[in-house]
């Protein structure tokens, strides 16, 4: 099956700093990637849809100037949390869309990145 | 896409079958039932999907009722590694957009 990686797997940073998270599709090209956020004991919440070569589409309530998304190539999307604060501490998960032969283009998920802001 | 309802938690003894129910009473004719699971602190993992017929793969079986308003995911011989949150999601064919994630069922497989 298709593999999606994320880097780093965990990061601890000081309040006010920026953190970049990478999402890579390792064995397929993905024109569309998704970024999710998951707080403890809660479900995944879609933050934004990342499209290669164009601006990301953000979900309602997600600040685009705070969560910068860059999808510069067909295998890489990055999420930068700018001026991170403790309330941004969460588990960030990306997924990449790939034609899979299933009824809809399959989303393959990365392993997630645990962000802790002190 | 149709909304789903799942019990918040279930327990299962190791080696026994785990039967996880999902209600999707508003499902439409062109919507598929998908199951994912999320092991603690990992990304979601695809398990199985179906439209009308029962399906089986190396991980699980999916039983969909004739009226398609509910389904059951069956893990035939649960192991400790099957402890996870299981999500039932209904997806319209051709829909490449966002998946709507509920709270799922937290399955605890006990030794």
């Amino acid at each position: 099956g298709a593999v999606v990686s994320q880097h780093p797997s965990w990061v601890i940073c000081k309040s006010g700093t920026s953190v970049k998270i990478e999402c890579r599709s390792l064995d397929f090209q993905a024109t569309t990637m998704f970024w999710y956020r998951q707080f403890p004991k809660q479900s995944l919440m879609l933050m934004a849809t990342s499209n290669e070569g164009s601006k990301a589409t953000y979900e309602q309530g997600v600040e685009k100037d705070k969560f910068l998304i860059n999808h510069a190539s067909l295998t890489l999307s990055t999420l930068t949390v700018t001026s991170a604060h403790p309330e941004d501490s969460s588990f960030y998960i990306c997924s990449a869309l790939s034609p899979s032969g299933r009824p809809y283009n399959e989303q393959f998920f990365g392993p997630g990145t645990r962000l802790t802001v002190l | 896409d149709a909304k789903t309802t799942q019990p918040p938690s279930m327990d299962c003894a190791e080696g026994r079958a785990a039967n996880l129910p999902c209600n999707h009473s508003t499902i439409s004719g062109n919507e598929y039932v998908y199951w994912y699971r999320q092991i603690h602190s990992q990304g979601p993992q695809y398990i199985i999907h179906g439209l009308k017929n029962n399906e089986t793969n190396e991980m699980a079986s999916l039983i969909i009722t004739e009226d398609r308003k509910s389904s059951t995911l069956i893990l035939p011989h649960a192991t400790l590694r099957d402890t996870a949150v299981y999500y039932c999601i209904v997806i319209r064919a051709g829909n490449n957009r966002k998946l709507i994630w509920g709270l799922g069922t937290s399955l605890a497989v006990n030794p």
Side-chain angles (χ1 to χ4, degrees):
Chain A
V3 179
V4 175
S5 69
Q6 281 184 242
H7 178 81
S9 56
W10 59 270
V11 56
I12 301 173
C13 69
K14 293 182 179 179
S15 185
T17 61
S18 294
V19 174
K20 179 185 286 187
I21 303 171
E22 293 185 349
C23 177
R24 293 181 185 274
S25 56
L26 297 186
D27 50 2
F28 65 99
Q29 294 183 331
T31 56
T32 302
M33 293 183 174
F34 299 90
W35 286 97
Y36 296 85
R37 180 168 53 181
Q38 186 176 33
F39 293 107
K41 298 191 183 301
Q42 294 188 24
S43 191
L44 283 76
M45 292 296 295
L46 180 67
M47 299 176 66
T49 303
S50 170
N51 299 296
E52 187 268 338
S54 64
K55 291 183 179 180
T57 303
Y58 290 82
E59 295 299 304
Q60 190 172 7
V62 178
E63 300 175 58
K64 62 179 181 181
D65 294 331
K66 181 170 182 61
F67 299 99
L68 302 179
I69 291 173
N70 187 309
H71 194 154
S73 77
L74 289 172
T75 60
L76 173 65
S77 175
T78 60
L79 168 68
T80 301
V81 183
T82 62
S83 186
H85 292 285
E87 57 266 31
D88 298 322
S89 298
S90 188
F91 191 52
Y92 291 85
I93 304 169
C94 73
S95 69
L97 209 57
S98 171
S100 64
R102 297 200 180 112
Y104 81 111
N105 285 348
E106 180 72 24
Q107 285 190 38
F108 294 94
F109 290 87
T113 297
R114 175 77 57 190
L115 170 64
T116 301
V117 184
L118 303 177
Chain B
D1 292 328
K3 185 177 178 179
T4 62
T5 304
Q6 298 176 254
S9 64
M10 293 183 65
D11 284 284
C12 175
E14 188 178 19
R16 306 297 294 269
N19 299 292
L20 294 89
C22 179
N23 183 293
H24 32 78
S25 58
T26 60
I27 192 170
S28 300
N30 63 348
E31 291 179 320
Y32 287 73
V33 180
Y34 275 72
W35 284 82
Y36 288 83
R37 74 179 183 184
Q38 186 179 23
I39 295 170
H40 182 63
S41 293
Q42 295 184 24
Q45 176 189 22
Y46 165 83
I47 302 174
I48 199 168
H49 78 279
L51 180 63
K52 296 180 182 178
N53 301 322
N54 298 337
E55 302 289 343
T56 295
N57 62 19
E58 65 278 4
M59 290 183 67
S61 295
L62 174 61
I63 308 298
I64 302 175
T65 58
E66 192 169 344
D67 62 8
R68 303 211 319 126
K69 293 185 176 183
S70 65
S71 60
T72 300
L73 177 74
I74 301 173
L75 307 178
H77 306 287
T79 70
L80 299 179
R81 288 179 295 181
D82 291 322
T83 293
V85 178
Y86 288 77
Y87 297 96
C88 167
I89 301 176
V90 172
I91 305 173
R92 183 162 26 95
N95 182 6
N96 295 340
R97 299 194 69 249
K98 61 182 179 181
L99 305 181
I100 307 299
W101 300 81
L103 291 176
T105 295
S106 179
L107 175 67
V109 180
N110 304 310

